[in-house]
Amino acid sequence: MSSKFEYTRAIVCGIPSSLPAQAQRLEEPGEGVDLLKARKQHAEYVSTLKKLGLEVTEMTPDENCPDCVFVEDTAVCVDNSALIPILGHQSRRPEASRMKDTLEGLGFNVIEMQDPAILDGGDVLFTGREFFVGVSTRSNMEGVAELAKAFPEYPVNSIKVVEHLHLKSMMTMGGPDVIFVGASKVASDAWNELESKAKFKYQKLVLPEDHAANCLYLNGTLVHLAPHEIPESISVYRKLPGPKIELENSELHKVDGCLTCNSILLC
């Protein structure tokens, strides 16, 4: 993560064949994951990162880790420091050790989380000036405290997450000091808590669909979901100024994957 949302590198991981049958999810999707389509969408995602000027480290998928494509959960990186969490779902914890090795190989100062803390990176919203951390089924207050210890130069605030898997399932940064938020009651409640705890002021942009509020803002470009995946929200995006890129994520969305889940962005 960067305080200026300007990045030079990213880490991604390929999609294992074990994902459709074994990935952890909130509930069973109405339709199964099309693995070939998922890989095609992911390849376009990686290509987009490269087009935006990022040098991409591509980790080999691990068939023993069905969710390994969702690398965001496995580390919180700011500048040259990285916190390696204990992931909230026990089956995913081997993913963190793989990410630790990758980040050490890239020269990061790695800090490892301690029990009884648990944390998924998808619960961590960094505004460039402070952290908001979702307390969810995957992240606890001990995890919030460990993150605060790892990055003492930034304020850290906890936000209650209900119904959604992660905090960033319903809100992300859409620009400097701009937070995109879903329109549901649970997203609105989370925003109200965020606003009451924030040390700085942020502009709120509401998207009719919660999952539409998950986007990537990097190097001056807004990357968001394709129109057919956010039919109620696409008009909001199209009214925004500046360069934008539309990406499909329909297959990984079936296993609770959002756009931010698929990469770790690095300065």
Side-chain angles (χ1 to χ4, degrees):
M1 300 185 205
S2 164
S3 60
K4 297 180 180 179
F5 304 100
E6 295 178 357
Y7 304 95
T8 61
R9 298 174 291 171
I11 300 172
V12 301
C13 182
I15 300 175
S17 299
S18 55
L19 178 131
Q22 299 179 37
Q24 300 301 326
R25 61 197 80 183
L26 281 176
E27 57 186 40
E28 286 299 313
E31 183 182 349
V33 175
D34 182 328
L35 187 59
L36 290 178
K37 187 175 180 181
R39 286 175 169 160
K40 181 179 179 181
Q41 291 176 349
H42 188 260
E44 185 59 31
Y45 181 98
V46 175
S47 176
T48 297
L49 296 180
K50 293 177 179 178
K51 288 175 184 176
L52 291 173
L54 278 63
E55 180 182 343
V56 180
T57 297
E58 301 185 51
M59 297 175 64
T60 303
D62 184 344
E63 293 299 333
N64 294 317
C65 297
D67 294 276
C68 61
V69 63
F70 304 127
V71 291
E72 177 185 44
D73 291 325
T74 63
V76 178
C77 302
V78 177
D79 298 326
N80 200 48
S81 294
L83 174 66
I84 303 298
I86 299 171
L87 292 174
H89 200 286
Q90 190 165 359
S91 69
R92 296 196 62 193
R93 291 177 185 172
E95 297 174 43
S97 61
R98 294 184 74 217
M99 184 56 67
K100 175 178 179 287
D101 293 342
T102 298
L103 287 166
E104 286 180 336
L106 292 173
F108 275 77
N109 172 39
V110 170
I111 306 157
E112 294 189 74
M113 185 171 281
Q114 303 299 313
D115 281 326
I118 58 171
L119 181 78
D120 279 11
D123 273 319
V124 179
L125 178 66
F126 182 56
T127 71
R129 297 197 278 181
E130 61 187 318
F131 285 101
F132 296 99
V133 185
V135 177
S136 66
T137 59
R138 299 293 179 90
S139 304
N140 60 17
M141 286 301 298
E142 290 85 354
V144 176
E146 287 280 298
L147 187 139
K149 188 189 305 182
F151 302 103
E153 63 271 37
Y154 296 104
V156 177
N157 309 279
S158 64
I159 305 294
K160 184 179 180 181
V161 173
V162 295
E163 296 186 20
H164 287 291
L165 182 63
H166 293 131
L167 178 63
K168 288 168 76 173
S169 301
M170 55 182 164
M171 65 174 70
T172 55
M173 299 306 296
D177 296 329
V178 180
I179 300 177
F180 289 5
V181 185
S184 71
K185 184 181 184 303
V186 294
S188 180
D189 288 347
W191 165 262
N192 290 338
E193 184 178 3
L194 181 154
E195 193 173 36
S196 71
K197 293 181 174 180
K199 304 298 187 294
F200 303 93
K201 292 291 184 181
Y202 301 98
Q203 180 183 347
K204 174 189 180 186
L205 180 73
V206 177
L207 280 301
E209 299 142 307
D210 282 8
H211 68 282
N214 183 279
C215 64
L216 293 168
Y217 178 74
L218 65 154
N219 300 351
T221 296
L222 193 59
V223 182
H224 62 83
L225 291 172
H228 64 277
E229 295 184 33
I230 51 170
E232 297 177 33
S233 303
I234 189 61
S235 62
V236 178
Y237 274 111
R238 288 182 171 168
K239 291 175 184 176
L240 295 174
K244 294 179 286 292
I245 296 174
E246 301 172 353
L247 285 180
E248 292 186 339
N249 190 57
S250 60
E251 299 311 303
L252 292 181
H253 180 69
K254 294 174 183 176
V255 285
D256 302 317
C258 300
L259 288 177
T260 61
C261 298
N262 302 332
S263 62
I264 295 177
L265 304 178
L266 308 170
C267 300

